[in-house]
Amino acid sequence: MENVYLTIVLAPLIAAIIAGFFGRKIGTTGAHWVTIVGVGISFLLSLRVFWDQWLGGAEVFNGSVYTWMVSEGVRFEVGFLIDRLSAMMMTVVTFVSLMVHIYTIGYMKGDPGYQRFFAYISLFTFAMLMLVMSNNFLQLFFGWEAVGVVSYLLIGFWYKRPSAIHANLKAFLINRVGDFGFLLGIAAIFLYFNSMDYAEVFAAAPGVEGETMSIIAGWEWSVMTVICILLFIGAMGKSAQVPLHTWLPDSMEGPTPISALIHAATMVTAGIYMVARMSPMFELSVTALSVVLIVGAVTALFMGILGLVQHDIKRVVAYSTLSQLGYMTVALGVSAYAAGIFHLMTHAFFKALLFLAAGSVIIAMHHIQDMRQMGGLRKYMPITYWTCLIGALALIGFPGFSGFFSKDGIIEAVALSEIPGATFAYWAVLIGVFVTALYTFRMFFLTFHGEERMDDHTRKDLKESPWVVTVPLILLAIPSVIVGAPFVSSMLLGDFFAEGIHVAAERDVLAMLGEKYDGAMALLMHGLVAPPVYLAFAGVALAWFLWLKRPDIPAAMAQRFSAVHKLLENKYYFDHLNEKLIAPAGRGLGRLFWQVGDVRLIDGLVVNGSARLVGWVSGVARRVQTGFLYHYAFAMVIGLTALVAWLILR
């Protein structure tokens, strides 16, 4: 099987190299075919691995495929850990990537960077697979940084647009903040465990549970708490949690296919996957879990609210992604790791569907993204309409759809938790259900229903997108409906991830949930009488009333509550805080270090000072070397006299 795992990883890499370096020779058709075949091979083999892990009874594979370096007994390797957790992630990543590759043929048609784009998205798939398949922290960090670099290239793909360059720099810099914490966490693991291997670190973690470290003199910190919080800071950047979230909405400047690939199913879920994989460590620190829980709850509620004031169709979906990542993070915080991963899986399908449906609309609207210039698209784009409706229903948790089981599972798990912050988190995710339904169907009604607000030229050209766009929509709509129920008993309520996820018995809220509900039908029956379903229906009804029946009310409310509306339009002023306070402070600190450290200390004292000292010594020596013999004889006499005097007097 080792060759199979290598093929899964290397097929997209080889395809990316061919499309990137030989794109002009193979042409546009060759570029998309070679990358589609490469990712298609990875998907089929990943599906086989998942099948073997799920039903075939395959054993967990944990082995090295290449040793990079051995230093004082510590091995730095490239290796794979293949269990049900990684197998599920591999399947989701490659399937969504395959759909995006096919979709891109239609979306990027005629773009001068066509071959380059296919090379980038195939390279991104390789990087994400390296991350999820890794069995050690070194390879994890490689994949972590690689997806960051490729996302930088993809967000700024249209590099002639100033807004795209601003967006990719913003994403890169904010992720560097998170990655700095992540790197410190890995360094602390190396310091205390003297190993980079997951299995060795997890086995030794209980022995470090009681140890403390002194970061500030007089203050003792739990080693496990510090390590877990540092790792989570990395997850906050990659998975866009408050306050390291501001890069994700701006990243919509990139082409729509990357919104589905990066911001629905892959890169932004890397942080969720990482924390779940590190569960044996997080379970040793309730403080770290509480931090994870509260950050996730704040993100889930308050980022969802921002979707209510967005006019760009892609930004609405982007803020939805932020909110749903918050739900996954909340699940991690209450030790319901399996629920978070289950929601990650279902969310990947219906959020990729919504992004690609938004892209289909943008194609038809000649790249107009403002929903205020849309309306009535249902009759022009029936396939996009129905698939988008399926994605919207899955997102709000309509009974029976995939999102219903995963989202309700999280809400029920939080209700059973006693971790500090669980009460706040429960109300946040519960209110978030109403908010999700409200902004989702605001987007849906403004886009597909009501009066047609586009100009005559755009209306004349309106038509359904080509098959390379609509086929991926249909293929993503299918799992958006059916992928939830079959896995409720195993993934959500069972021990599907037992080999990859560890939960302390006293905090196993999913086990408690499993005692109450024995499967999908029981959870569905309970859900039909539970608050989330009615909150979702209320959100849909209110969206219909406000934006179809009485569109004058939202405008009047924006004027009446102008302060609140301004707060939301300015995204709680996080960007202002970054641009007006944090960034200038960082630049000022950098200038200070530059002037004091570089200019005065290094250049002034060390480099130039050394040169001046050598020059002064040389000047003195030059005066001594006169060239007159009697001067040298006199110096020799003085030296000899001093030496004799020292020998006599010592």
Side-chain angles (χ1 to χ4, degrees), residues 71-75 188-196 200-201:
S71 177
E72 296 186 353
V74 180
R75 303 181 68 86
I189 289 171
F190 184 70
L191 175 65
Y192 282 92
F193 296 94
N194 198 37
S195 176
M196 290 280 99
E200 293 178 6
V201 172

Side-chain angles (χ1 to χ4, degrees), residues 496-539:
F496 188 88
F497 298 119
E499 294 165 331
I501 292 175
H502 170 75
V503 183
E506 65 272 17
R507 288 193 293 274
D508 197 347
V509 290
L510 292 181
M512 303 177 198
L513 195 63
E515 294 174 359
K516 297 174 63 175
Y517 313 108
D518 59 0
M521 186 56 66
L523 195 62
L524 178 61
M525 292 298 101
H526 168 75
L528 292 175
V529 296
V533 167
Y534 297 100
L535 286 171
F537 287 161

